[in-house]
Amino acid sequence: MSLKELLAEPQPIPCKICGLPSHGMHFGVMTCRPCAAFFRRFVVLKLNYACLQDRERCSLNKIRRSSCRHCRFQKCLQMGMSAENVQLNREGNNPLNLSKKHDPKSEPEMIIQCQAEPSTSLMPVIKLEDQLYTKSILSEIRYDNLWKDMNEIFTSGIPSTKHGHFATLSPLYRFVEGLKLVRKPQQTERIKFENRLSMNTLVPHWRAQARHTAILSMHSMAFRNIKSMADKTMIYKAVWRNIYRFERIQMSTEIFGGKCVSEKKLAISCEKAIQLDALFFDLEGVAQEKVKLSLQDYKAFAERCVEEVAKPLNELCPSIEEVAFLILNFVLHNEDTIKGEALEVCDEFRDNIADDLHKYYQDNEIVNYAQRVAKMMSIIIAMKKIHYEDLGGGFIVNTRNSENQVVEMPTGCVYE
């Protein structure tokens, strides 16, 4: 071998599944991290996809993230990846105590350093930008033109992915940062119960939540990397209410614990909560019979959320990393809304956050993480069913049978 060959930069070994540079041995085969995450997720969650029966997307010679998932998994098996090597039970000497309720205020900051840190001369500018951004999150909302406000948020490019604290974080932790931000004003002991809901309280409440959800969405790299503003707006309009509901249901379990389920206590914002059994609507100009029917519909919806989502969430007691994973996967599992180029972006993002969660479990030596992930996926499926039933009008049965009149309910639905 010549000196030139000895001194030459070693070529990375290609992934046996997709052909991209590998990152090491995973489940018995040299693969990249995304393909390893795909295989792990397929096995742990016991996923089952039908073959697309498409010559290009089913080709085993050029597997990409947009390829047929059934055929991609089959290639993993053909190359020798073994389900027996997936660690369903990872035991450590110092497992994380998940029985303790998560307290966002006491949680230490977790920063994953990037290789290219900003120069010291930029730090005052970065610090000022971060301060202005945080201030803008908690600023007054322009209720006169909400969708214009949403569009400005989506085109702002804030928070920056090039410098500052946000730029140092991996995809999952960027969304964690968004959760911390929108939850910053969260009241716990001093949260106020407001069981009398009127349009004067509901309209500003829902507009505030719409804005906060838009800001939270900008912490998702899958959402940010969708180039088409039309696609972004369509996805956001379809899922924002249930992103907000999901986040509020989980926060309710943190604030109220078991009473969220047993006494049906729900935190509908950072400042206000309701108790379902004591709730009533004060809707001026609406017939009392219609108000009564609307309340019945809302309670049917809310009780489903409590029983099928809040109850298992309270039993799971997720960390903020797992909450971020739950919300992101709820959005990513709305396949009817995410299509075309956006679907490919989201598939890659799904691999990245699965990798981040796996690393989080490894770093914290969490026992039986596969069972936790399976429980989380069951919660996502439950919320997804409620979401689609809501979109299909399944929770306005009583109101639909009454007179035709527009009423916006505290679930965020517009009843006609």
Side-chain angles (χ1 to χ4, degrees), residues 245-293:
R245 293 165 181 164
F246 206 171
E247 186 274 329
R248 287 289 87 196
I249 292 168
Q250 190 279 323
M251 178 52 73
S252 299
T253 65
E254 287 197 24
I255 297 172
F256 304 118
K259 290 183 179 180
C260 170
V261 179
S262 63
E263 299 181 16
K264 301 174 186 176
K265 292 182 176 180
L266 297 171
I268 62 173
S269 72
C270 289
E271 303 83 17
K272 297 177 182 179
I274 60 172
Q275 188 167 7
L276 281 182
D277 292 339
L279 185 67
F280 70 96
F281 295 153
D282 183 9
L283 305 177
E284 188 176 348
V286 181
Q288 287 301 308
E289 184 60 28
K290 187 173 181 66
V291 172
K292 181 180 178 181
L293 294 173

Side-chain angles (χ1 to χ4, degrees), residues 74-143:
Q74 293 304 312
K75 184 166 186 179
C76 290
L77 297 177
Q78 289 179 17
M79 292 295 105
M81 296 180 79
S82 172
E84 294 179 359
N85 292 329
V86 177
Q87 296 179 353
L88 297 181
N89 300 284
R90 178 181 175 84
E91 297 185 0
N93 296 324
N94 186 28
L96 184 68
N97 182 8
L98 292 171
S99 62
K100 184 178 180 180
K101 280 290 179 183
H102 171 68
D103 183 1
K105 296 181 181 178
S106 64
E107 181 188 72
E109 295 287 335
M110 182 175 289
I111 303 177
I112 301 174
Q113 295 292 339
C114 61
Q115 293 181 349
E117 294 187 0
S119 64
T120 54
S121 62
L122 276 176
M123 293 311 294
V125 178
I126 294 169
K127 186 175 181 181
L128 177 61
E129 181 187 277
D130 287 345
Q131 289 173 346
L132 291 174
Y133 174 57
T134 301
K135 184 177 179 181
S136 71
I137 298 302
L138 307 176
S139 65
E140 291 295 322
I141 302 163
R142 298 176 303 180
Y143 294 129

Side-chain angles (χ1 to χ4, degrees), residues 221-238:
M221 296 312 297
F223 187 80
R224 289 179 67 128
N225 290 337
I226 296 172
K227 296 178 181 178
S228 168
M229 181 57 66
D231 287 346
K232 279 185 178 179
T233 303
M234 178 187 69
I235 293 170
Y236 175 78
K237 285 184 176 180

Side-chain angles (χ1 to χ4, degrees), residues 129-178:
E129 181 187 277
D130 287 345
Q131 289 173 346
L132 291 174
Y133 174 57
T134 301
K135 184 177 179 181
S136 71
I137 298 302
L138 307 176
S139 65
E140 291 295 322
I141 302 163
R142 298 176 303 180
Y143 294 129
D144 57 331
N145 198 339
L146 185 62
W147 286 114
K148 182 179 179 182
D149 203 14
M150 299 298 101
N151 187 69
E152 288 181 3
I153 291 171
F154 296 155
T155 57
S156 67
I158 299 175
S160 173
T161 59
K162 296 181 180 178
H163 54 69
H165 173 60
F166 187 74
T168 68
L169 303 175
S170 63
L172 183 65
Y173 281 95
R174 287 179 174 181
F175 199 76
V176 167
E177 192 69 13

